[in-house]
Amino acid sequence: MSTAVDDELWSAIGDPTRRTMIDLLLSDGPGTATSLSKRLPVTRQAVSKHLAVLDRVGLIHGSPAGRERHYQVDEAQLARAVAQLSAVGATWDARLRRIKRIAEAIERSRHNTEGE
C-alpha cells in the first residue's frame, strides 16, 4: 500500500460536509443524494456535487438504483487515506521531536554561557 500523499484525495476529504457524508455512509450504510440531503444542512444538488467529488477520488462508489444512485464507501480507498494520514503524522512527529531537541540544546547552551 502506497503512503505517498494524494493531494486530490486529501482535498476531497478536507471539506467538512464531505467528511460528514463519509461518516453517514459508514454508520448508516449505502445512501442516496436524497437520503443524505435530509441529514445535512445543504441542498440535494450540493450533496450530488459533493458525492461526485468523493466518487472521482474513489472514496465512494455509486450504483444505479431506480432513478437514483446508491453510494457506499470504498473501504480500501479509505484505508489508503488513513495510511497516508498516519505517514504524514509520523513524519511531523519526527520533525517536532527534532525541533524539541534543537530547542533543548539551545536552552542548555544558554544556561552554560550564563553560568560562566
Side-chain angles (χ1 to χ4, degrees), residues 64-85:
R67 295 174 52 175
E68 293 218 58
R69 294 181 67 75
H70 279 233
Y71 292 91
Q72 62 185 25
V73 174
D74 181 314
E75 293 188 20
Q77 184 72 331
L78 184 59
R80 181 173 165 256
V82 169
Q84 287 180 21
L85 181 59

Side-chain angles (χ1 to χ4, degrees), residues 31-38 43-44 47-48 51 68-69 71:
T32 64
T34 301
S35 67
L36 289 167
S37 68
K38 292 176 182 175
T43 65
R44 185 194 178 288
V47 168
S48 292
L51 288 169
E68 293 218 58
R69 294 181 67 75
Y71 292 91

Side-chain angles (χ1 to χ4, degrees), residues 12-98:
I13 293 173
D15 183 276
T17 300
R18 290 193 282 264
R19 286 193 307 271
T20 301
M21 292 169 73
I22 291 170
D23 287 342
L24 290 171
L25 292 171
L26 286 169
S27 64
D28 300 345
T32 64
T34 301
S35 67
L36 289 167
S37 68
K38 292 176 182 175
R39 310 251 335 255
L40 296 165
V42 295
T43 65
R44 185 194 178 288
Q45 182 180 10
V47 168
S48 292
K49 289 181 180 183
H50 284 297
L51 288 169
V53 170
L54 292 171
D55 193 24
R56 186 179 70 242
V57 299
L59 280 168
I60 64 169
H61 295 293
S63 56
R67 295 174 52 175
E68 293 218 58
R69 294 181 67 75
H70 279 233
Y71 292 91
Q72 62 185 25
V73 174
D74 181 314
E75 293 188 20
Q77 184 72 331
L78 184 59
R80 181 173 165 256
V82 169
Q84 287 180 21
L85 181 59
S86 295
V88 169
T91 299
W92 275 103
D93 285 345
R95 287 176 182 159
L96 292 172
R97 282 190 302 274
R98 183 169 180 250

Side-chain angles (χ1 to χ4, degrees), residues 3-13 57 77 80-81 84 88:
T3 55
V5 174
D6 180 338
D7 290 332
E8 190 174 350
L9 176 67
W10 282 100
S11 178
I13 293 173
V57 299
Q77 184 72 331
R80 181 173 165 256
Q84 287 180 21
V88 169

